[in-house]
Amino acid sequence: MKRADNDMPFLLTYENVAWYENGKVRILDRRIYPTEISFVECTTHTEVAQAITDMVTQSAGPYTAAGMGMALAAYEAKGKSEAEQLAHLLQAAQTIGHARPTTANRMTQITMNCAEVGKAALAAGNDPVEAIFFTTLESLNRRYTVMDQVAEHLMTQVSPNSSVLTQCFGETIVGTFLRAARKKNYDLKIYCAETRPYLQGARLTASCAADLGFDTTVITDNMVAYAMENKGIDVFTSAADTIARDGHIANKIGTNQIALLAQHYEIPYFVTGIPDSDKFGKQDIIIEERDPKQVLEYRGIPNTLPNVKAIYPSFDITPPNRINGVVTDKGIYSPYDLATYFTKEETRFY
């Protein structure tokens, strides 16, 4: 299998996302990268699920971790009867698949497919661990290849000297878009909204852009209007954790307010990703509420007095009237016309 992670930044090399080997899954701890390069080592599939819940890996990283976690689940069940091994895989698929509620539909596609692959391997007398590991690699390779197509479509919306504002960490699309821009010798300026409270924009997206040699600037989340008014932002783009058929999208908290500012300053906003066939509208999107402690402190250091409260909705929903286009593997769609996406043959993604 030819790997699709060539010329990608450190964060997006397969082994540096999540990797199964010898009864363990190691996951790059994106909560502390690049201050420290450290991997969380999981010896059970429940530890993998907890790592996903705890945001050891974010964006599309959990999809890879989920597949590798299923390989680990198959390893855990070795030596049991075929029926017991299958039952263990199905239970693990639910545990890992629901580690984060907003993306459970996508995650369970991955974990249930792994369970089916394991079932087929058992029926054929083959090693389910190896089968699930290689199907996870194939899935990872497929996502990178599909996102290459998304990146090529996004490239049509930027000029060789564009200033591009991003939000949070869009995982694969960040790497494929920057890789495509580098191949075309585009001299982009990348502005990364810091993305509190975990600072994924500052720590992850900015690291990827800097790794590939782009002029990279971080702004705090409350500098967006200033940057749009004074720094010549040409395009705002983000990935999405959910893209509903009616054009509502869910992405990291703060995306909606940046989209609102972009609309005010007449800066186009392009969402990247694959629409969710099972999400028909805003009502189908679940917003994950995380521990508010993560807002009240950073890396264990409190920012407030003990009696201060906080909220931490992990995502917000941006309506279609603030989105100029949804950039997919099949082209750029109006957010009001996403039903058309499903009339064309779908490329398997997850």
Side-chain angles (χ1 to χ4, degrees):
M1 180 186 71
K2 183 179 179 181
R3 287 176 45 155
D5 61 344
N6 59 297
D7 299 326
M8 283 293 221
F10 176 88
L11 276 170
L12 297 177
T13 301
Y14 294 167
E15 289 87 348
N16 295 332
V17 181
W19 195 257
Y20 169 83
E21 192 170 15
N22 297 327
K24 296 177 183 177
V25 173
R26 66 176 218 155
I27 306 170
L28 179 68
D29 194 341
R30 292 179 175 177
R31 299 170 299 183
I32 57 176
Y33 182 87
T35 305
E36 182 181 340
I37 299 175
S38 178
F39 291 83
V40 171
E41 194 172 86
C42 304
T43 57
T44 67
H45 76 273
T46 55
E47 289 179 358
V48 172
Q50 190 62 50
I52 293 170
T53 298
D54 292 343
M55 293 176 68
V56 170
T57 187
Q58 306 115 18
S59 189
Y63 305 145
T64 302
M68 296 297 176
M70 287 300 294
L72 179 55
Y75 175 83
E76 291 171 341
K78 271 194 166 185
K80 297 183 178 181
S81 70
E82 184 175 325
E84 287 173 322
Q85 289 184 65
L86 180 57
H88 186 74
L89 285 175
L90 291 173
Q91 178 269 317
Q94 292 299 314
T95 300
I96 298 173
H98 289 85
R100 295 195 67 184
T102 300
T103 53
N105 61 322
R106 298 180 179 184
M107 293 274 282
T108 52
Q109 285 183 55
I110 294 167
T111 58
M112 289 305 294
N113 177 64
C114 287
E116 286 299 316
V117 167
K119 179 181 179 181
L122 286 167
N126 296 325
D127 181 3
V129 178
E130 184 176 275
I132 293 172
F133 173 78
F134 280 109
T135 203
T136 299
L137 273 188
E138 289 170 2
S139 176
L140 185 56
N141 226 42
R142 186 169 57 249
R143 288 199 297 277
Y144 276 49
T145 302
V146 170
M147 293 313 288
D148 273 328
Q149 299 169 36
V150 177
E152 288 298 328
H153 293 304
L154 182 57
M155 286 292 294
T156 66
Q157 303 304 311
V158 300
S159 67
N161 301 107
S162 289
S163 292
V164 180
L165 174 66
T166 66
Q167 160 71 342
C168 199
F169 179 52
E171 185 82 14
T172 321
I173 185 57
V174 171
T176 55
F177 172 64
L178 293 173
R179 179 169 63 179
R182 178 55 61 227
K183 286 180 180 177
K184 292 179 182 289
N185 294 315
Y186 274 29
D187 188 23
L188 302 180
K189 291 184 178 179
I190 307 298
Y191 284 82
C192 304
E194 190 178 39
T195 323
R196 297 190 178 189
Y198 260 164
L199 311 184
Q200 294 102 313
R203 296 184 301 96
L204 307 180
T205 304
S207 294
C208 287
D211 273 355
L212 295 186
F214 289 96
D215 183 331
T216 306
T217 301
V218 169
I219 59 172
T220 62
D221 295 349
N222 55 354
M223 295 179 186
V224 172
Y226 178 89
M228 287 181 170
E229 190 169 335
N230 296 283
K231 297 300 179 181
I233 303 296
D234 298 302
V235 174
F236 168 46
T237 186
S238 79
D241 293 85
T242 286
I243 301 174
R245 287 175 181 252
D246 72 348
H248 285 84
I249 70 103
N251 193 49
K252 180 66 180 180
I253 187 71
T255 303
N256 184 34
Q257 63 195 34
I258 299 178
L260 185 61
L261 286 167
Q263 189 174 49
H264 175 77
Y265 286 105
E266 299 182 338
I267 295 168
Y269 171 35
F270 292 100
V271 174
T272 56
I274 309 301
D276 293 275
S277 60
D278 60 343
K279 297 287 179 73
F280 290 88
K282 179 180 179 180
Q283 70 279 0
D284 297 319
I285 301 174
I286 299 170
I287 298 299
E288 177 185 358
E289 293 269 355
R290 295 190 62 80
D291 185 353
K293 183 180 179 182
Q294 295 168 11
V295 176
L296 298 172
E297 64 179 39
Y298 184 64
R299 294 188 181 179
I301 301 174
N303 298 322
T304 67
L305 291 173
N307 59 338
V308 174
K309 297 186 294 184
I311 62 169
Y312 182 10
S314 196
F315 307 95
D316 59 22
I317 296 173
T318 302
N321 68 322
R322 294 180 191 147
I323 299 169
N324 292 77
V326 178
V327 187
T328 76
D329 55 320
K330 299 177 186 176
I332 302 176
Y333 289 78
S334 162
Y336 295 105
D337 190 34
L338 287 179
T340 306
Y341 178 89
F342 299 101
T343 65
K344 299 180 181 179
E345 184 180 353
E346 288 188 56
T347 302
R348 186 177 169 194
F349 187 58
Y350 299 107

